[in-house]
Amino acid sequence: MPVVTRRGPGLHQRLSHSMLMNVGLADLSCADDAAFIDVATRLAADSGRLLDRRRALRPRLRASALGSPQDYAAGFCALMEDVVRRHRLR
């Protein structure tokens, strides 16, 4: 089921945001409490949209890097190499 999340500094917030971004549901990741309430209320009130999101979620997940551990690991490694290079950690 798609969830609405509140972006923030916490690990759980960053993970939720990342997962939603990876499956093309960035609109469910909110920057503040007002946006969270707005998005959650609109989604809950639109049963057709919610059903469409539920039906599309599994295929979206499979098609994303999250659905392919090899692609996810390669992307993560590339990201870490970029962080090391940008921050001159080597």
Side-chain angles (χ1 to χ4, degrees):
M1 167 180 302
V3 297
V4 179
T5 191
R6 169 79 162 75
R7 289 190 301 273
L11 177 61
H12 62 288
Q13 295 165 316
R14 293 191 312 268
L15 288 173
S16 297
H17 173 71
S18 176
M19 288 179 195
L20 289 170
M21 296 293 290
N22 273 283
V23 296
L25 297 174
D27 61 312
L28 298 182
S29 181
C30 304
D32 55 42
D33 292 341
F36 179 92
I37 292 168
D38 180 57
V39 169
T41 302
R42 283 188 289 117
L43 186 60
D46 189 344
S47 59
R49 181 174 169 227
L50 186 57
L51 183 60
D52 288 343
R53 294 279 176 116
R54 285 181 180 154
R55 287 180 178 156
L57 188 57
R58 194 171 304 243
R60 282 178 177 229
L61 180 61
R62 286 187 187 125
S64 75
L66 296 174
S68 171
Q70 296 83 2
D71 291 343
Y72 184 82
F76 183 78
C77 286
L79 176 65
M80 290 298 102
E81 289 172 356
D82 185 52
V83 168
V84 167
R85 185 176 53 258
R86 280 191 291 142
H87 296 279
R88 298 182 180 113
L89 300 173
R90 286 190 186 177

